[in-house]
Structures are given as C-alpha cells and as structure tokens.
Amino acid sequence: MAILVTGGAGYIGSHTVAELLAHKEEVVVMDNLRTGHAEALQGVKFYEGDIRDRSVLDRIFGENEIEAVIHFAASSLVGESVSEPLAYYENNLLASHTLVSAMVAHDVKKIVFSSTAATYGEPKSIPILETDPTEPTSPYGETKLAMEKMFRWCDGAYGLKSISLRYFNAAGAHMDGHIGEDHTPESHLIPIILQVALGQREHIGIFGDDYATADGTCIRDYIHVMDLANAHWRALEYLRKENASNVFNLGNGTGFSVNEVIETARKVTNHPIPAKVSPRRAGDPAVLIASSEKAQTVLGWKPQWGDLETIIESAWKWHQSHPNGFAAK
Ligand code: UFG
C-alpha cells in the first residue's frame, strides 16, 4: 500500500518523501507546484493537482491503494496570512475539508499532519508543552489549529486517526545535498543570511533588537529538516501500531537568537555577512522554544542534526551548489 504525500514537492514535504523512500515506503505525491518543485522528486508517482479539486483526489484514491496521508499542502507565511486571511481559510481549512471528505469516502483512516508552533501564539511559558494553551496570533496559526481540531472531531465520527506535528523553525537541507530550501520570495532567516554570503543581497536585516532577550533579538528553536522528516515516518509507524490520534511538538529544545544565527553563519561561510537592525516584524514572539520530550518518549524520535552549525552547514552546501534553487544554475 502507498502513502499519499500532499505538498510533497515543497521544502519539508520533499525531505519527508526522501525519508519515506529510505524506509522502503511506496509513495504517491500530489502537489499543485505553486510553491513546490517537481525537480525535488525522484522515484515516486506524481500527480500535479490541487487538494481543493475533489475529482483529482478521487482519481488518486481510485488508482492507488492508499494506506495513509501525510498532509503538507498549505499556505504557510504568518505575515501573508494576516493580510490575506480568506486565502488562508480557503487553502488550509477548506482544502483540508475536501481532502478529509475524500479520505472518509475512500475509507482511508490515517493522517499525519504538518502543524506548527504558530498554533500556540505568544507562549505563556518556555519551553512550550503540547498541553499549553493554543491562542494563535495569526490566521496561519488559527487555520492550522482549526485543521487539527477538524481531524480530532473526525476521529470520533469516522475513526480517522490523526497525528499533528507542531514544528518549530525548520532549517537545513538534505545531508546528501540533492534537495534543499527554495522559496520565492524567500522570507526565512537562514536562507536569507546565506543569500548575503552568496553575494545575492547586501545585508541581512535584523527584525528588532529591543526584545526582552539577552542580546535583544528574537530567539527560535531551529530544527533540521531531516530530523523533521524522520518524525513523520515515526508518526506513521505510531499510527500503524497504536491506531490512535495524538499531537507532538518537534524542536531541539534549544533557542538561538537572530544574532547568534548570523554569527554562526559567518563562521560556517567565512563571509562577514553585514547586518542592519530594522523595525520589528509584526506578530513575532520574542522566544519560541519547544519541549519535544513527548515526541522523544512516545515516538522514540531523537534529533540527529540538532547542532546549529551542522544545520547551517547543510543549508550552505545546498545554496552553494544551487544558488538559484531548483532553477537552472
Ligand atoms: N528574521 C530576521 N530577518 C529576516 C528574517 C527573519 O530578523 O530577514 C527573524 C524573525 O523576526 C524571527 C527569526 O528571524 O525572529 C526567524 O524568522 P523566520 O521567518 O525564519 O521564521 P518564523 O519564526 O517567522 O516562522 C517559522 C515558520 C512558521 C512557523 C514558525 C514557528 O515559517 O511557519 O516558524 O516557530 F509557524
């Protein structure tokens, strides 16, 4: 039986596909290629299509024996979601409604879901536990939380078992260098810093240095994309063994400030990487650090590439060999 990966041509999706293949899983990918890259996929059956299109979903479930779905396809930018909330309700919540309706109709009862630390909003305490209050401060976090809740209600009604994985800051690239991060436009800290080192930007803008942290810049929990990918495979195994719904944080449990990330990137790239302080970005909490103890205990997950230098080195290797991402070099 196969695993259907929606959004499998995207950044975290494509790394998860590679991890599933490494575990000899049969993989079917569906992606509308709006932000994903067909070049990131090898050795899988691929359907170009949108999960809002029920007819494509019916075709996929009809033509393949799907055991479970790993669901990435979504819009995922916090700032954009604040200015375009309706697009987020459509692409995230309504689209997932179509996907789950098709799953229920075709008797597919397992889903691993790409959720986010943005479901917590401004944390009440650090590190963040899965049992902490969820009060999203953006439509992005709000729609992801609504999706989690929809899946849980579908457990009671239809026996759909869901694992929601709340990621902290995904970063890095595949250790063999064949896939990595490629967003247009890029908004994430580490790839932007590396674009400076590549000479594609003049400086990195630091969004605020007056936060209540030791050096005044925001602190985040960076987690290697391959470690995230491995957690998806473990979540799938958990569904197979336990047949129960659950939710897990995925982070390293260690925070780094924006200044510390820039400093580490200077060391890795041997480039001065000029930085300039610019105003705060709306909606940025000062500190986000996960407790991933539950994932470690219940899923047996252990991050292998947690060290920030290793994360940045893997990203640097990818960006150097693919300065224009998947586009022609
Ligand atoms: N930052 C800068 N300058 C930049 C870009 C980012 O200073 O040019 C700062 C941000 O203010 C933040 C940190 O670097 O403090 C990390 O920012 P990213 O944009 O890389 O990531 P976010 O923390 O905003 O968001 C990411 C994902 C979200 C997810 C969140 C959960 O993109 O989907 O992590 O922690 F919800």
Side-chain angles (χ1 to χ4, degrees):
M1 291 184 86
I3 309 302
L4 171 63
V5 182
T6 72
Y11 171 45
I12 305 174
S14 59
H15 287 78
T16 299
V17 167
E19 178 74 4
L20 292 172
L21 293 175
H23 289 279
K24 309 274 179 255
E25 300 284 354
E26 188 186 337
V27 180
V28 174
V29 169
M30 177 183 191
D31 199 301
N32 65 9
L33 298 182
R34 235 173 56 186
T35 55
H37 305 275
E39 300 87 337
L41 296 170
Q42 285 156 13
V44 296
K45 192 166 173 184
F46 177 58
Y47 290 82
E48 185 172 346
D50 193 298
I51 54 164
R52 288 171 296 180
D53 186 345
R54 176 67 189 262
S55 64
V56 182
L57 289 169
D58 283 336
R59 190 153 74 83
I60 295 174
F61 287 118
E63 290 177 2
N64 303 277
E65 226 186 312
I66 303 292
E67 176 196 1
V69 175
I70 303 186
H71 179 32
F72 294 98
S75 297
S76 64
L77 295 174
V78 174
E80 182 185 69
S81 78
V82 176
S83 51
E84 295 173 44
L86 291 176
Y88 275 68
Y89 275 86
E90 181 176 342
N91 294 340
N92 294 357
L93 189 55
L94 283 180
S96 298
H97 173 275
T98 307
L99 172 67
V100 174
S101 303
M103 288 176 68
V104 171
H106 292 272
D107 210 27
V108 177
K109 298 282 179 67
K110 296 183 183 73
I111 185 164
V112 177
F113 174 52
S114 162
S115 192
T116 169
T119 51
Y120 294 107
E122 192 70 50
K124 306 284 176 295
S125 55
I126 295 289
I128 301 172
L129 295 165
E130 289 84 351
T131 46
D132 284 355
T134 43
E135 292 167 8
T137 48
S138 70
Y140 170 59
E142 195 77 71
T143 51
K144 286 275 178 169
L145 184 61
M147 288 147 85
E148 286 191 8
K149 288 183 178 174
M150 180 170 72
F151 301 144
R152 293 302 283 259
W153 287 110
C154 289
D155 186 347
Y158 317 114
L160 177 86
K161 303 298 175 192
S162 66
I163 302 295
S164 293
L165 299 176
R166 294 178 178 160
Y167 320 147
F168 283 64
N169 287 60
H174 198 289
M175 299 310 280
D176 77 6
H178 81 289
I179 46 175
E181 195 164 6
D182 179 3
H183 298 116
T184 309
E186 188 51 76
S187 67
H188 297 98
L189 181 65
I190 292 175
I192 291 182
I193 292 174
L194 297 179
Q195 287 174 349
V196 180
L198 278 175
Q200 296 174 339
R201 291 179 191 250
E202 285 186 0
H203 68 272
I204 171 76
I206 298 171
F207 296 153
D209 67 349
D210 55 354
Y211 285 94
T213 60
D215 66 19
T217 65
C218 287
I219 294 178
R220 293 288 179 273
D221 183 339
Y222 295 89
I223 173 83
H224 199 287
V225 66
M226 288 302 295
D227 285 326
L228 282 186
N230 177 260
H232 291 75
W233 178 71
R234 287 177 185 273
L236 186 65
E237 289 282 272
Y238 174 89
L239 280 176
R240 286 168 171 156
K241 285 193 199 101
E242 307 294 333
N243 197 35
S245 295
N246 217 327
V247 53
F248 299 98
N249 285 341
L250 297 176
N252 275 309
T254 314
F256 292 95
S257 71
V258 173
N259 278 338
E260 286 171 328
V261 175
I262 297 170
E263 205 40 59
T264 307
R266 286 180 179 134
K267 201 170 141 199
V268 168
T269 62
N270 211 14
H271 186 284
I273 309 180
K276 282 188 192 165
V277 177
S278 57
R280 287 183 177 199
R281 186 173 66 177
D284 268 344
V287 182
L288 286 175
I289 300 174
S291 163
S292 298
E293 261 184 56
K294 186 177 167 189
Q296 304 214 15
T297 314
V298 179
L299 299 179
W301 176 70
K302 197 162 173 21
Q304 278 188 60
W305 295 289
D307 174 56
L308 183 64
E309 216 172 298
T310 308
I311 291 175
I312 296 179
E313 271 167 10
S314 70
W316 183 227
K317 185 173 160 192
W318 157 257
H319 286 282
Q320 278 180 299
S321 58
H322 299 78
N324 303 309
F326 288 99
K329 288 176 201 167

